[in-house]
Amino acid sequence: MSESSTNGNALKTEPTAELLPTALKANPNENALNDENTNALDLSVKKELTPGRCNLQNWLGHTFRIVITDGRVLVGFFNCTDKDANIVLSMCAEYLEEGKDARILGNVMIPGKHIVSIAVDMPRDAALSGKPNLPTASEAV
């Protein structure tokens, strides 16, 4: 826990070493990040991604147009998916009928069981390349 000491009216609290974040520990050898303790992406290990995962990585941040079972069309930026094919879109707009104004929804999660079709707004060769589309040095800056 933490040790508390009182000096007059002031209360001073000092956290013990086990409560400190890893970055604040005194021993630098204890600060090493690894897959067991964090969810941080380890850039030193280059793992081969399957073509499907490369496609998903390439689609991140691109515009998706999703038609769902009740006929609505949702258009937004692709953020993530899961093993159940649920999809999260940000800055999403909902279209009830073609040619009508959109209703802005913001962030939405679309259950995979309600998805009829998905269209990605990017060139076909880039959309299905199966290779990671990593930014170049000039794009990263």
Side-chain angles (χ1 to χ4, degrees):
M1 288 281 157
S2 62
E3 299 173 11
S4 298
S5 61
T6 57
N7 184 5
N9 293 334
L11 179 64
K12 183 178 178 184
T13 304
E14 297 175 9
T16 58
E18 70 235 12
L19 296 178
L20 287 175
T22 305
L24 298 178
K25 289 185 179 176
N27 186 351
N29 294 331
E30 294 179 14
N31 293 338
L33 296 177
N34 59 38
D35 290 335
E36 295 175 13
N37 296 328
T38 69
N39 290 331
L41 180 62
D42 186 4
L43 298 176
S44 63
V45 178
K46 294 185 179 184
K47 297 179 183 177
E48 285 295 317
L49 296 177
T50 63
R53 286 186 180 207
C54 287
N55 285 334
L56 286 172
Q57 186 177 26
N58 290 341
W59 295 338
L60 287 173
H62 283 83
T63 305
F64 269 34
R65 181 182 184 271
I66 299 177
V67 178
I68 56 177
T69 53
D70 62 2
R72 290 182 287 168
V73 177
L74 302 169
V75 178
F77 294 102
F78 176 59
N79 279 343
C80 67
T81 188
D82 62 10
K83 66 180 181 175
D84 297 323
N86 301 319
I87 291 181
V88 175
L89 299 179
S90 63
M91 295 175 43
C92 185
E94 172 190 52
Y95 295 89
L96 297 174
E97 296 178 21
E98 191 148 342
K100 297 274 184 165
D101 286 338
R103 182 171 74 133
I104 305 301
L105 301 176
N107 293 330
V108 297
M109 192 281 294
I110 306 148
K113 65 183 182 181
H114 294 298
I115 296 174
V116 174
S117 68
I118 300 174
V120 183
D121 185 23
M122 64 188 303
R124 183 172 175 77
D125 58 340
L128 299 174
S129 68
K131 298 176 186 172
N133 188 9
L134 300 175
T136 61
S138 61
E139 291 174 342
V141 175

